[in-house]
Amino acid sequence: MAAANLVSQTPAIHPTKSLKTPLNRFPIKHILPFKLKLTSRLASLSVRAVLSTADPKTQKLQHCFTKSEDGYLYCEGNKVQDVMEIVEKRPFYLYSKPQITRNVEAYKEALEGLNSIIGYAIKANNNLKILEHLRKLGCGAVLVSGNELKLALHAGFDPTRCVFNGNGKILEDLVLAAKEGVFVNIDSEFDLENIVAAARIAGKKVNVLLRINPDVDPQVHPYVATGNKNSKFGIRNEKLQWFLDAVKAHRQELKLVGAHCHLGSTITKVDIFRDAAVLMVNYIDEIRVQGFEIDYLNIGGGLGIDYYHTGAVLPSPRDLIDTVRELVLSRNLNLIIEPGRSLIANTCCLVNRVTGVKTNGTKNFVVIDGSMAELIRPSLYGAYQHIELVSPSSPDAEISTFDVVGPVCESADFLGKDRELPTPTSGAGLVVHDAGAYCMSMASTYNLKMRPPEYWVEEDGSVSKIRPGETFEDHLRFFEGL
């Protein structure tokens, strides 16, 4: 297969565009520091042909990083190895902008015939350029903090297509939500009191949804399960009447417009969503009997992806929507869904370089420059993410079983355990796949490993920086003037 050739071009620097807050010390820049252009369109097409044989019903959600016949890893026709030679010599996130578009289109096609809002869960990935792209594609936003609300407004999201979730929303954030006309979920008794207070301060009635805990087991890791009886989220279903009476007592401040549930994350069985939806529409029937005009059913998010890269057939957005379609239509409801992971996870890799290989006599280690500071999911709750080298190995490279670890001073600092890989050489490229969701958004500066830069491949095959990497000088600025 012909290899794709990448040529750097003159940097195009655009003016800085700052967040609309005086506290923004480090403005996010809209910059295109370089363009990597494919000089061979044939090379690009030959790589994309690998995807063209897939089932068209699921093709949109396939992995956009593809190992080609030449042994190199490509993203939308670009050799990842070539990208590594141009960008900063440090771990970085590499996204496919076209894959983000394909993922959104899969949801939009699944929702045809329904009045709906695709509410992107900003907590999954809060890169401003990605948010602006999702907004242009027609998404709303799902928020779990006041800063996420501010960022959504800065990115241009329609606040009336945004939902403010959370079990501990504070008053000042609720006041902003009330002023902007955002949907707000009622999560507890004190949450309801705070929403009422915010409505009075803002002088506006708040459109609220009751977040009901349906006590449905999502069959996922307990850290990402949110819809069972032991969860900190939502109101107990047996207290529904208390909340309805409380809303009735505050008709000047609250307008109940919907019901919401969220089961959890990485769900791979869509019948779980149907079980919850059946319960929820029954609750809606009960609520409507009491005179409330309920227009919205929010079924949350949670679709899993193929983190293992085994070719497993997982539910698609259409599979999910089809399980609840008739229920939604039968009650003449607007459907809100809150995908985060399934919109962004498979669009990105964390790209690292191998520092070296070592053994302790019983276990082999590939040590890389990336770490739990850049990608914490494996260390935090044992998450699996596929790992592979970006370039073909030497024919005589021994294949062994390795733990892939970083340089952070913690035994928990690993990206993958017991991975079978050709023994890599120092400086070899290594990627952690499906790193678009809950990776950069959870990155830290532990051990003063500064948060990495982010890049994406654009529709024309060029590569652009969408967030600069943080520097040691950025860290020192926090202490200036103290």
Side-chain angles (χ1 to χ4, degrees), residues 363 401-404 416-420:
K363 185 175 279 290
T401 300
F402 297 95
D403 283 5
V404 179
K417 290 192 171 184
D418 299 323
R419 304 302 178 88
E420 192 173 273

Side-chain angles (χ1 to χ4, degrees), residues 271-431:
D271 58 339
I272 293 172
F273 286 100
R274 179 171 177 80
D275 292 344
V278 169
L279 292 173
M280 294 302 295
V281 296
N282 287 335
Y283 290 134
I284 287 173
D285 290 343
E286 295 177 21
I287 296 169
R288 281 175 167 174
V289 166
Q290 299 191 38
F292 292 99
E293 297 180 5
I294 301 297
D295 295 320
Y296 294 90
L297 170 62
N298 185 335
I299 61 169
L303 267 186
I305 67 165
D306 182 18
Y307 277 114
Y308 285 86
H309 287 222
T310 59
V313 179
L314 296 178
S316 67
R318 183 171 295 279
D319 293 329
L320 166 60
I321 301 306
D322 283 349
T323 63
V324 302
R325 183 182 304 276
E326 293 308 317
L327 289 169
V328 172
L329 290 172
S330 69
R331 271 45 172 213
N332 193 28
L333 291 164
N334 299 288
L335 182 65
I336 301 174
I337 58 173
E338 301 179 346
R341 184 187 314 275
S342 57
L343 282 181
I344 197 70
N346 73 340
T347 70
C348 175
C349 280
L350 175 66
V351 186
N352 313 270
R353 286 178 172 81
V354 173
T355 303
V357 176
K358 64 178 290 187
T359 181
N360 63 7
T362 58
K363 185 175 279 290
N364 301 316
F365 300 92
V366 173
V367 184
I368 60 174
D369 55 358
S371 70
M372 65 185 290
E374 291 84 10
L375 196 154
I376 199 173
R377 293 183 69 251
S379 298
L380 182 62
Y381 44 80
Y384 180 99
Q385 291 182 234
H386 188 61
I387 291 173
E388 66 180 325
L389 301 174
V390 305
S391 302
S393 301
S394 167
D396 58 353
E398 181 181 356
I399 296 177
S400 297
T401 300
F402 297 95
D403 283 5
V404 179
V405 302
V408 163
C409 192
E410 294 282 349
S411 294
D413 179 27
F414 63 91
L415 283 300
K417 290 192 171 184
D418 299 323
R419 304 302 178 88
E420 192 173 273
L421 296 167
T423 302
T425 57
S426 177
L430 178 148
V431 299

Side-chain angles (χ1 to χ4, degrees), residues 54-332:
D55 181 346
K57 294 180 181 178
T58 59
Q59 182 177 339
K60 286 183 181 294
L61 297 180
Q62 283 203 342
H63 302 284
C64 54
F65 288 81
T66 307
K67 217 37 163 328
S68 187
E69 294 175 0
D70 61 6
Y72 286 92
L73 185 69
Y74 287 81
C75 177
E76 304 293 344
N78 286 351
K79 259 189 196 176
V80 175
Q81 180 66 52
D82 289 342
V83 177
M84 291 179 66
E85 293 173 3
I86 300 297
V87 302
E88 300 173 60
K89 297 299 188 287
R90 59 190 290 189
F92 65 93
Y93 283 99
L94 179 63
Y95 299 82
S96 162
K97 186 179 181 183
Q99 185 63 46
I100 297 173
T101 301
R102 290 191 289 266
N103 289 350
V104 173
E105 290 301 320
Y107 272 99
K108 291 170 73 172
E109 291 172 10
L111 288 162
E112 288 177 358
L114 296 176
N115 294 320
S116 62
I117 296 174
I118 302 172
Y120 169 68
I122 287 180
K123 64 191 175 85
N125 187 307
N126 55 32
N127 183 288
L128 179 60
K129 299 295 288 182
I130 291 173
L131 296 183
E132 290 175 338
H133 183 54
L134 289 167
R135 184 260 303 165
K136 290 174 184 176
L137 293 172
C139 291
V142 174
L143 325 160
V144 290
S145 73
N147 282 340
E148 286 190 354
L149 171 53
K150 293 174 186 175
L151 188 59
L153 295 174
H154 183 82
F157 284 95
D158 179 352
T160 65
R161 291 172 59 81
C162 294
V163 183
F164 191 10
N165 291 335
N167 69 307
K169 301 183 286 291
I170 62 175
L171 182 59
E172 63 185 89
D173 295 341
L174 287 168
V175 171
L176 177 60
K179 288 179 178 178
E180 296 293 340
V182 171
F183 291 111
V184 179
N185 270 321
I186 298 175
D187 191 86
S188 66
E189 293 88 344
F190 70 78
D191 199 35
L192 185 146
E193 293 173 4
N194 285 336
I195 297 168
V196 169
R200 290 171 177 167
I201 294 170
K204 286 191 175 182
K205 184 179 290 190
V206 180
N207 289 325
V208 295
L209 296 87
L210 286 175
R211 178 165 181 172
I212 300 172
N213 188 327
D215 193 16
V216 171
D217 179 9
Q219 301 176 34
V220 297
H221 191 287
Y223 283 14
V224 293
T226 58
N228 55 39
K229 65 181 179 181
N230 295 319
S231 173
K232 70 175 183 177
F233 299 102
I235 67 175
R236 303 196 312 274
N237 48 42
E238 62 266 26
K239 286 209 69 175
L240 176 59
Q241 189 57 53
W242 185 94
F243 283 92
L244 295 177
D245 292 340
V247 173
K248 290 175 186 176
H250 296 95
R251 292 187 184 274
Q252 296 303 309
E253 297 85 9
L254 307 178
K255 181 180 180 182
L256 181 59
V257 298
H260 173 222
C261 72
H262 193 293
L263 302 179
S265 190
T266 69
I267 296 172
T268 58
K269 298 178 180 178
V270 292
D271 58 339
I272 293 172
F273 286 100
R274 179 171 177 80
D275 292 344
V278 169
L279 292 173
M280 294 302 295
V281 296
N282 287 335
Y283 290 134
I284 287 173
D285 290 343
E286 295 177 21
I287 296 169
R288 281 175 167 174
V289 166
Q290 299 191 38
F292 292 99
E293 297 180 5
I294 301 297
D295 295 320
Y296 294 90
L297 170 62
N298 185 335
I299 61 169
L303 267 186
I305 67 165
D306 182 18
Y307 277 114
Y308 285 86
H309 287 222
T310 59
V313 179
L314 296 178
S316 67
R318 183 171 295 279
D319 293 329
L320 166 60
I321 301 306
D322 283 349
T323 63
V324 302
R325 183 182 304 276
E326 293 308 317
L327 289 169
V328 172
L329 290 172
S330 69
R331 271 45 172 213
N332 193 28

Side-chain angles (χ1 to χ4, degrees), residues 12 14 30-37 78 83 87 92-95 97 127 129 453-467:
H14 295 284
H30 291 237
I31 57 176
L32 301 178
F34 57 83
K35 285 281 189 178
L36 304 179
K37 293 288 289 184
N78 286 351
V83 177
V87 302
F92 65 93
Y93 283 99
L94 179 63
Y95 299 82
K97 186 179 181 183
N127 183 288
K129 299 295 288 182
E454 295 175 283
Y455 303 84
W456 68 13
V457 179
E458 304 210 46
E459 290 86 353
D460 65 357
S462 63
V463 176
S464 302
K465 182 183 287 188
I466 58 173
R467 176 173 170 151

